[in-house]
Amino acid sequence: MPLSVPDETVVPPDEHLLTVQEALEPLYQKLEQEVESKLVEAAVDAGWSPYDALNAIAQLKKHDGVE
């Protein structure tokens, strides 16, 4: 009995490829958000205010040229 191919439309490669940036950006943003959340949590646990923790993170990003 011959194998049958399911009725699927084959999409040409140029219509469904993502750039590396498009593929990784959402993952990077999610990871960045998780890291920042953990940093704020650790700072608050150490006695910092959330405001001071967020300001310190912003200063670090500015110093590293992230923002």
Side-chain angles (χ1 to χ4, degrees), residues 15-39:
E15 292 183 19
H16 67 85
L17 290 178
L18 295 176
T19 64
V20 171
Q21 182 176 353
E22 290 171 328
L24 294 179
E25 194 167 24
L27 300 171
Y28 179 83
Q29 289 173 344
K30 182 179 178 190
L31 181 60
E32 183 179 35
Q33 189 174 36
E34 288 176 15
V35 167
E36 190 168 307
S37 175
K38 289 185 184 295
L39 285 171

Side-chain angles (χ1 to χ4, degrees), residues 39-61:
L39 285 171
V40 170
E41 183 179 345
V44 168
D45 288 347
W48 292 40
S49 74
Y51 177 80
D52 288 340
L54 289 170
N55 279 336
I57 292 168
Q59 288 298 317
L60 287 171
K61 286 181 178 180

